[in-house]
Each structure stands twice: as C-alpha cells, then as structure tokens.
C-alpha cells in the first residue's frame, strides 16, 4: 500500500506493476486514497542525540518492525495496539484487510515459491554475513549487541529487471527483491547495506557527538553537505562495495551501486579508503571523516549551490499546507535523506531550528507573504534589500552559515507542484541575485 500510494522510499518498478493491474479498479483506488490519509511520518525523537543525526523512530518504522514479526493481520493488529490512536489503527487495519486479496491475487500467489527459493539460497551465506557484521560493527564503533538478532524479510516485486527498494526498521530489514531475477549475492549485499544504517544509528551517543564534532569543526565549506550524505555513502561503500566484492570472490562491482548519482559517486570515491580501514580492522576516526569531506568537495565542487544536493537534509516550513501534500510534491522532484515539515510560520524569526540547525530550509510563504518576508529580513541580512513583489515566486540564497535558504511564494496549495518543478529545472541558485524568478 505504501508503494501503491506513491510514498517515499518505494520502488517505481513495483508501483508501475501495481498500476498496470489495478489502475482501473475503482475499489482499489479508493483504498489507496484512504491509505494516503493516514499519517505515519510523526514519531519519537530523543532530544539528547546530536541534531545532525536526528535520532528518530517514526511510527512507520514501529509499524513495519511489528509487521515483519507478525504471522497474519490479526496478530499484527494485536502487536501494534497502543502505537496509534485507536481510530487510526482501525482505519489502517480496514484498508489492509480489504487490500490483502489484491496482494494475494496479483503478487503473492505467483511469487511465494520464488521468494522461498531465494530465502533458501540466502541462508547458505549465514556464516559469511555474520563475519561481515562483526567487521562492520567494529568499523562503526556501534553499540549493537550481537545477541540481538536482525530480522531479514524479503518482499516480492514481480519481474526480472527494474528498481527495488529496501529499508531498515529497528532490528528488521525489509528487502525488496525481483522475483524472476537470479542475483542472490546482490540481494545479500543490499541486506548488508541496510544493516549498516542500523549500526550507524545505534552508535553510542558519545560516539555520535564526537563524529558530529569532527564535521562541525572541519573548515571545508563542503563539510555539512558531506555529513548529510555520509550515512548513505558509507553504507553503500560497505554493503554494495566491500560486501559485494567478498560475495563475488574478490571482484569489485563495476556497475552503479546506488540509483542516486551523488551517493553512487561519493561511495565509490571513498571506497579505497574504506577498504583499507576494514582490512586493517580500524574504526572510522577523525582522519577518515576529514578525508571523506575532502573527497566530497573534490568530487562535487558546485554542490553548495545546487538545490538537489542541499535538499538531501532539509527542513520545510509552511503556514497551513498539509505535510503529506508537501511530501508528495517534494519527492516527485527530489531525492532526500532527511525531510522535516514544521508549521505554522508565526514567530518564525524566533525559531530555534531556523536559527541553529545546519540543514537547508524551504520556507513556503502561503499566507501573509509580505509580513513574513519582512520578519525573515530581520534574521537574514542577505535579503534585507529585497522588496516584496507579487510577481516574485522564489528567493534563494546562502546565509552567513553557508546554509541554503529557499523562500517559495505560494498563493494556493495547488501551485506547490509547479514551484517544486521549477526548482528542479533551475537546478542551482544564482549567486549574484537572491531573487531567482
């Protein structure tokens, strides 16, 4: 249902398959619309952890973790009681129960035996994957206890070629696999990739603070951008690079490791250094992080001015546009690792997040545009001479901390899609003039 509803971190290949079977089915389309009204983006934030790491457990993660351990929908319903308001839980369960027959008919009935065969093949690598886990755990200096198991669950995507999507949730790894593909080693390397995300998230709080300090104190203007891509790039270098090489008997994969070009190139650029650390049984340290920042700057010299790269970690402010509506329009044009939505805009100039966070910001001025622009001028001298004009749609600039700030003037929420499309087409800010268009 996440895929059918075009949610973030879902496979376009799987979505196209679902649409090919059910786009004309009005009952199923109603289920999709009902599912879209459920908001799983909220979650639990532990405030003591470094802001750049965003130690957060979304309700989606808590739900998926329990779903992978449940024997059926009734068991799942029992396990999640208390996580959501009861009316939301009932609504979600009704959608899932009504959607299950479609899943069985169009996906599971033809995929069950193929998936079970892949699982049997993957089990043959149990000892090798355990050895790599121990090595990666040491590299990350993670606090993960080897007595706590990982649950690896495959979900079928019908077909032989195309995109897949895998995600980590607590101690559960949700791995999308093409049912007619024969790439067990590739599936296992993706599994190790997702495991790396968990090891990174579960580093001791002191380790996280020290590593964030290394990024913060590095003088490079690329340090924060490198930090925003660091988690994904390292997991790719370890899982798709190092683990893939071991599984392929010492042959490094020459194809793309990740479907995002920034992450793919960054991961490949840091791979030689990463392999040396692993072979020497060393943990990532200040030298590793400093070198990763230097490599990022050398590889992407124009990145500090480019929208897509800066939106990898972004906070979006709005007055009253729904968060899910913003997510849907944003992710249609941009890939991102960490996106947050805050509202309303009242007293935005006093927002501690706006004043202190190292992320990029998109501020959607959907009400009282002149008043909010005047307020923002008090904290951003870069735009103090920019006058309000009803024809202005976008003001973009780098502030004194090197953060990208984007102000979008939206007269009605339906204009948001066009605004995101324009950002994507313009690609980068004009350094000479904050008024972009």
């Amino acid at each position: 249902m996440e895929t059918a509803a075009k949610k973030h971190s879902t496979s376009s290949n799987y979505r196209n398959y679902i649409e090919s079977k059910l786009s004309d089915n009005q009952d199923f389309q109603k289920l999709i619309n009902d599912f879209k009204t459920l908001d799983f983006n909220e979650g639990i934030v532990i405030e003591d952890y470094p802001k750049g790491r965003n130690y957060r457990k979304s309700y989606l993660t808590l739900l998926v973790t329990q779903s992978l351990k449940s024997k059926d929908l009734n068991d799942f319903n029992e396990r999640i009681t208390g996580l959501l308001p009861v009316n939301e839980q009932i609504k979600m369960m009704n959608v899932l129960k009504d959607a299950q027959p479609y899943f069985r008919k169009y996906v599971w009935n033809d995929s069950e035996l193929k998936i079970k065969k892949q699982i049997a093949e993957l089990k043959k690598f149990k000892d090798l994957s355990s050895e790599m886990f121990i090595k990666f755990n040491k590299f990350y200096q993670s606090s993960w206890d080897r007595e706590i198991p990982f649950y690896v669950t495959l979900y079928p995507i019908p077909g032989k070629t195309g995109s897949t999507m895998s995600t980590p949730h607590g101690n559960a790894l949700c791995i999308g696999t093409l049912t007619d593909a024969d790439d067990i080693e590739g599936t296992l390397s993706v599994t190790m990739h997702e495991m790396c995300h968990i090891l990174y998230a579960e580093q001791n709080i002191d380790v996280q603070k020290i590593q964030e300090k290394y990024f913060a104190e590095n003088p490079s203007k690329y340090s924060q951008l490198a930090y925003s891509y660091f988690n994904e790039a390292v997991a790719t270098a370890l899982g798709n690079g190092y683990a893939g090489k071991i599984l392929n008997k010492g042959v490094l994969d020459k194809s793309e490791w990740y479907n995002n070009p920034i992450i793919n190139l960054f991961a490949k650029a840091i791979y030689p250094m990463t392999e040396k650390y692993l072979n020497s049984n060393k943990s990532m340290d200040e030298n590793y992080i400093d070198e990763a920042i230097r490599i990022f700057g050398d590889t992407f010299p124009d990145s500090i001015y480019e929208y897509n790269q800066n939106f990898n970690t972004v906070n979006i402010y709005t007055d009253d546009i729904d968060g899910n509506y913003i997510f849907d329009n944003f992710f249609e044009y941009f890939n991102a690792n960490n996106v947050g939505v805050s509202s309303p805009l009242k007293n935005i100039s006093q927002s501690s997040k706006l004043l202190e966070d190292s992320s990029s910001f998109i501020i959607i001025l959907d009400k009282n545009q002149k008043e909010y622009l005047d307020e923002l001028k008090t904290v951003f001298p870069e735009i103090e001479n920019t006058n309000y004009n009803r024809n202005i749609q976008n003001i973009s600039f780098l502030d004194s901390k090197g953060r990208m700030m984007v102000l979008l003037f939206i007269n009605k929420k339906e204009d948001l899609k066009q605004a995101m499309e324009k950002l994507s087409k313009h690609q980068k800010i004009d350094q000479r003039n904050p008024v972009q268009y």
Side-chain angles (χ1 to χ4, degrees):
M1 292 309 296
E2 283 276 305
T3 304
K6 300 181 180 180
K7 295 293 186 178
H8 178 50
S9 296
T10 55
S11 163
S12 59
N13 196 63
Y14 193 18
R15 183 163 60 249
N16 292 338
Y17 173 82
I18 295 170
E19 289 177 349
S20 73
K21 301 295 183 181
L22 292 163
S23 62
D24 295 330
N25 187 305
Q26 295 304 310
D27 291 336
F28 187 74
Q29 294 305 311
K30 183 180 183 304
L31 289 177
I32 292 175
N33 290 330
D34 290 344
F35 188 83
K36 284 181 176 180
T37 65
L38 299 166
D39 185 4
F40 303 133
N41 291 314
E42 295 299 322
I44 302 166
V45 178
I46 301 180
E47 298 292 347
D48 290 342
Y49 279 75
K51 290 182 179 179
R53 297 295 291 270
N54 190 34
Y55 194 88
R56 178 178 180 271
K57 300 291 185 185
S58 70
Y59 290 117
L60 177 62
T61 277
L62 299 176
L63 292 170
V64 171
T65 301
Q66 294 306 317
S67 77
L68 301 189
K69 301 172 186 177
S70 302
K71 62 182 180 181
D72 54 35
L73 283 176
N74 290 331
D75 185 28
F76 175 59
N77 191 37
E78 182 70 24
R79 287 172 180 266
I80 66 171
T81 299
L83 292 181
L84 299 172
V86 172
N87 64 312
E88 291 288 291
Q89 180 175 337
I90 292 172
K91 186 176 182 180
M92 180 186 70
M93 292 306 302
N94 286 338
V95 170
L96 296 183
K97 287 176 182 177
D98 289 342
Q100 191 173 56
Y102 295 103
F103 173 74
R104 286 176 173 158
K105 179 178 179 179
Y106 293 105
V107 181
W108 186 246
N109 288 346
D110 290 334
S111 302
E112 181 180 5
L113 294 179
K114 298 172 183 178
I115 284 288
K116 289 182 176 179
K117 180 181 178 182
Q118 290 190 26
I119 291 172
E121 291 296 315
L122 285 168
K123 286 182 177 179
K124 296 177 182 178
F125 293 94
K126 181 178 179 181
D127 291 340
L128 181 58
S129 55
S130 295
E131 291 174 14
M132 286 191 287
F133 160 78
I134 293 171
K135 187 178 285 286
F136 292 172
N137 200 30
K138 171 74 186 307
F139 175 73
Y140 276 110
Q141 301 178 67
S142 180
S143 58
W144 192 270
D145 191 321
R146 67 178 66 182
E147 297 301 317
I148 301 175
F150 284 100
Y151 291 84
V152 181
T153 301
L154 303 190
Y155 72 90
I157 300 177
K160 189 171 184 178
T161 60
S163 69
T164 60
M165 188 63 68
S166 302
T167 49
H169 302 277
N171 67 331
L173 306 174
C174 194
I175 310 298
T177 181
L178 293 163
T179 56
D180 296 319
D182 185 21
D183 186 15
I184 298 302
E185 291 80 5
T187 300
L188 188 54
S189 68
V190 169
T191 302
M192 299 305 297
H193 172 124
E194 299 305 330
M195 189 180 292
C196 287
H197 286 312
I198 295 176
L199 296 178
Y200 185 65
E202 296 300 335
Q203 289 173 323
N204 181 283
I205 187 172
D206 293 331
V207 173
Q208 293 194 23
K209 286 182 176 179
I210 289 171
Q211 291 184 356
E212 182 157 291
K213 182 171 175 281
Y214 293 154
F215 280 100
E217 294 183 349
N218 186 289
S220 170
K221 60 185 178 181
Y222 298 97
S223 60
Q224 289 307 310
L225 264 183
Y227 190 20
S228 75
Y229 282 100
F230 187 72
N231 179 13
E232 202 65 66
V234 174
T236 302
L238 291 173
N240 306 75
Y242 189 85
K245 183 176 180 180
I246 290 177
L247 292 166
N248 285 291
K249 298 179 174 58
V251 179
L252 189 65
D253 184 5
K254 300 297 183 182
S255 65
E256 288 191 359
W257 293 352
Y258 201 95
N259 62 1
N260 179 307
I262 305 299
I263 295 167
N264 178 60
L265 292 173
F266 190 21
K268 289 189 172 186
I270 64 172
Y271 178 77
M273 169 180 67
T274 305
E275 185 179 49
K276 287 180 181 178
Y277 268 70
L278 290 168
N279 290 340
S280 302
N281 205 29
K282 291 176 61 178
S283 301
M284 63 169 66
D285 52 20
E286 185 173 9
N287 289 332
Y288 182 92
I289 288 172
D290 285 344
E291 184 63 9
I293 294 170
R294 184 197 65 77
I295 289 171
F296 186 91
D298 289 347
T299 308
F300 310 105
D302 293 332
S303 58
I304 56 175
Y305 306 111
E306 296 174 336
Y307 290 124
N308 194 51
Q309 280 82 322
N310 281 273
F311 291 166
N312 190 46
T313 299
V314 62
N315 278 295
I316 304 177
Y317 276 83
T318 180
D319 217 14
D320 64 359
I321 298 179
D322 177 70
N324 282 328
Y325 186 83
I326 292 173
F327 280 124
D328 288 346
N329 284 278
F330 176 86
F331 283 114
E332 185 170 346
Y333 297 98
F334 298 102
N335 294 309
N337 178 54
N338 185 359
V339 182
V341 174
S342 301
S343 64
L345 292 177
K346 186 178 181 180
N347 298 323
I348 187 173
S349 62
Q350 300 172 34
S351 165
S352 59
K353 183 180 291 186
L354 182 66
L355 297 176
E356 298 170 11
D357 273 19
S358 59
S359 73
S360 299
F361 286 83
I362 299 175
I363 302 173
I364 301 172
L365 303 176
D366 50 309
K367 281 186 176 179
N368 304 319
Q369 295 174 345
K370 184 180 185 305
E371 290 82 352
Y372 284 128
L373 177 60
D374 288 341
E375 183 180 356
L376 289 167
K377 288 180 184 180
T378 65
V379 290
F380 296 116
E382 294 83 4
I383 58 171
E384 61 184 2
N385 295 321
T386 303
N387 295 319
Y388 175 70
N389 183 325
R390 288 182 61 86
N391 295 320
I392 290 177
Q393 294 180 301
N394 175 320
I395 296 175
S396 297
F397 59 95
L398 300 183
D399 74 352
S400 59
K401 297 179 181 179
R403 305 177 301 174
M404 179 175 282
M405 298 288 163
V406 179
L407 313 184
L408 295 180
F409 295 79
I410 304 297
N411 295 314
K412 58 182 184 299
K413 77 171 190 176
E414 289 77 14
D415 295 337
L416 186 61
K417 175 180 173 63
Q418 184 187 50
M420 293 297 176
E421 183 179 19
K422 281 188 176 181
L423 283 174
S424 178
K425 288 182 177 178
H426 279 253
Q427 297 185 351
K428 62 176 67 175
I429 67 172
D430 183 346
Q431 302 172 49
R432 299 163 297 178
N433 185 5
V435 178
Q436 307 298 294
Y437 48 83

